[in-house]
Amino acid sequence: MSKVIEGLYYSESHEYVRVEGDFGFVGITDYAQNALGNVVYVDMPDVDDEVTAGEEFGAVESVKAASDLISPVSGTVVEINEALEDTPELINQDAFENWIIKVEISDKSDLDNLMDAAAYTAFCEK
């Protein structure tokens, strides 16, 4: 079973968001990185780009597949994880430590549409 962390919000497309104040750290879940295999490239938006909940903001590519990244929240990108540009495999080492983008969340009600750890675990077991 993949690792799931309490206190995060999860989407059906296997992204998570860790909320700290008005900011959300968005990445892919352990389940997603396991499914993808060895990550070789992460396509990220630019700082100051707008992201919209439920819409694509980038992609993760592995040796066997490419997967679109779907933002779990709407807002403005305030930081990207630059370490992933040179070392995308960090996502395989720890998907929860190696977030992809930091977003200033524009509407926290977006979080109401996401799953908690228990719901996400059940979703993955289906």
Side-chain angles (χ1 to χ4, degrees), residues 4-5 7 15 23 42 52 58 75 81 85-86 99 107 109 118 120:
V4 176
I5 296 180
E15 287 83 16
F23 298 97
V42 182
T52 302
N81 187 346
E85 291 177 325
D86 295 325
W99 50 272
D107 184 356
S109 71
Y120 182 70

Side-chain angles (χ1 to χ4, degrees), residues 28-29 37 39 42 52 77 83 92-93 105 107:
I28 65 169
T29 64
V39 174
V42 182
T52 302
V77 178
N92 295 120
Q93 293 168 19
I105 301 171
D107 184 356

Side-chain angles (χ1 to χ4, degrees), residues 56-85:
E56 180 186 336
F57 71 86
V60 174
E61 293 178 21
S62 71
V63 288
K64 61 183 181 184
S67 181
D68 289 339
L69 294 167
I70 308 299
S71 187
V73 291
S74 298
T76 304
V77 178
V78 293
E79 189 178 342
I80 62 168
N81 187 346
E82 293 180 3
L84 298 177
E85 291 177 325

